[in-house]
Amino acid sequence: MLVWRCKPPAVPFPLSLGTFVKHFSVIEPNPFPLHRIKAKSLTTAAAIGTHNSSCFDSFSCRQKKQIRLYVDTLLQWNQKMNLTAVTDVDEVMERHIEDSLAILPPIQDSYVSHCNASIDSIKLVDVGTGAGLPGLVLAIACPAWKVTLLESMNKRCDFLEHAVSVTGLSNVEVVRGRAENLGQNVSFREKFDVAVARAVAEMRILAEYCLPLVRVGGLFIAAKGHDPQEEVRNAERSLKLMGSSTLQLCSVESRSPYGQRTAIICSKDRPTPRKYPRDPGTPAKLPL
């Protein structure tokens, strides 16, 4: 397993790393060395409109408006369906928007460093996107990226399609379906540069959901809690079977219960065997 530390690459990004990174500090060595990224906190939707939040300094007026429209739409629809347990605007900004943006620097850094390719225009799939987190927020932050939001629940897909329409995003596609089926579909199998997942399942299950969708040489990034090392160790066999290995664990500060979230970054080293993913429901019932 190759473990390396994040370094801000000297290439132009669609969203400045400095916008999100306050300082870097090295964590004491452990089986999976962590590199801490200190993300500045977001305030409220009103702060976006008045340009008071330093996290949005590099956002255009259009991007700030898109974030506001998305948050407003999320809270409106949440009154009639279960999209999020968070019902306060400030909390949505801190716990959902900031949390989604916090994994952007690790994605950018890892892709440029490991994939040796430009980050300017990539194909990203958000598996089990739910209310569009983090995929829709990343699509706003990086308008040159082509983002696919994969969701199995029809009502949530209705919301996502409405949110995409309201925000005017032209770089987002909403796909209704299960990851197990899409992973066996030639139109989606190994077609993406990056797969991300946030608050979906444990790593053993996520590996089988996400990695069949990632091209060889691409990345799978799972947003996890403050101490996922045991979960990562338990997933080593599953990752290997999917043709992957863990590159690094990157710790970013956020509004999660423990004040930080860990981005688990895995590389796709070999093609995934055709027998994976297994039938719908099997990965969750019988994790590898």
Side-chain angles (χ1 to χ4, degrees):
M1 178 185 71
L2 175 64
V3 179
W4 51 279
R5 300 194 178 280
C6 302
K7 290 195 230 176
V11 296
F13 294 131
L15 192 61
S16 170
L17 258 173
T19 302
F20 303 97
V21 181
K22 188 174 182 181
H23 69 265
F24 294 81
S25 61
V26 178
I27 305 301
E28 291 299 320
N30 55 50
F32 296 98
L34 297 177
H35 188 270
R36 186 177 301 278
I37 297 179
K38 174 79 172 177
K40 297 179 182 178
S41 62
L42 307 187
T43 55
T44 65
I48 301 174
T50 56
H51 299 253
N52 287 333
S53 175
S54 59
C55 274
F56 290 94
D57 285 347
S58 66
F59 272 31
S60 67
C61 291
R62 173 179 170 80
Q63 288 172 309
K64 293 172 184 177
K65 181 180 180 181
Q66 286 174 318
I67 291 288
R68 178 179 59 79
L69 289 171
Y70 168 67
V71 172
D72 289 346
T73 303
L74 173 64
L75 291 175
Q76 288 169 6
W77 278 61
N78 198 51
Q79 295 177 17
K80 59 182 179 181
M81 59 184 295
N82 183 25
L83 290 169
T84 174
V86 180
T87 58
D88 178 76
V89 172
D90 292 352
E91 278 197 89
V92 170
M93 292 302 302
E94 292 176 343
R95 295 180 59 181
H96 286 328
I97 306 302
E98 177 185 4
D99 211 50
S100 295
L101 292 173
I103 68 169
L104 183 56
I107 293 173
Q108 294 172 320
D109 180 39
S110 303
Y111 192 82
V112 173
S113 300
H114 177 72
C115 302
N116 196 27
S118 171
I119 195 71
D120 292 341
S121 180
I122 65 171
K123 293 178 66 177
L124 179 146
V125 60
D126 180 7
V127 177
T129 186
L133 302 163
L136 195 145
V137 178
L138 295 177
I140 292 173
C142 305
W145 292 8
K146 295 179 181 178
V147 177
T148 297
L149 304 178
L150 176 56
E151 174 56 45
S152 62
M153 295 183 63
N154 286 331
K155 288 185 178 180
R156 289 180 181 173
C157 288
D158 291 340
F159 162 74
L160 292 169
E161 289 168 351
H162 179 73
V164 169
S165 176
V166 167
T167 53
L169 288 168
S170 59
N171 61 330
V172 176
E173 178 184 11
V174 178
V175 175
R176 302 177 187 231
R178 294 185 63 110
E180 299 99 320
N181 292 329
L182 272 292
Q184 291 290 356
N185 187 321
V186 293
S187 297
F188 297 92
R189 186 179 179 86
E190 299 190 336
K191 298 297 184 183
F192 295 94
D193 301 304
V194 176
V196 298
R198 174 181 181 266
V200 175
E202 65 165 292
M203 278 295 293
R204 290 183 299 167
I205 301 168
L206 281 181
E208 191 168 356
Y209 285 167
C210 297
L211 283 161
L213 298 168
V214 179
R215 67 170 177 83
V216 175
L219 298 176
F220 159 46
I221 291 132
K224 287 292 181 178
H226 78 295
D227 187 17
Q229 295 191 39
E230 182 177 356
E231 185 177 342
V232 174
R233 284 192 291 269
N234 291 338
E236 285 181 358
R237 179 174 180 269
S238 178
L239 290 168
K240 185 176 180 180
L241 287 172
M242 296 303 120
S244 178
S245 59
T246 304
L247 279 178
Q248 63 175 350
L249 275 65
C250 205
S251 183
V252 296
E253 190 153 320
S254 71
R255 297 291 177 171
S256 65
Y258 289 92
Q260 63 181 353
R261 179 172 292 276
T262 307
I264 302 171
I265 302 170
C266 306
S267 64
K268 179 70 174 283
D269 306 319
R270 305 173 304 281
T272 300
R274 287 298 309 181
K275 63 181 178 180
Y276 300 117
R278 293 167 292 171
D279 292 340
T282 303
K285 292 177 183 177
L286 300 170
L288 294 168

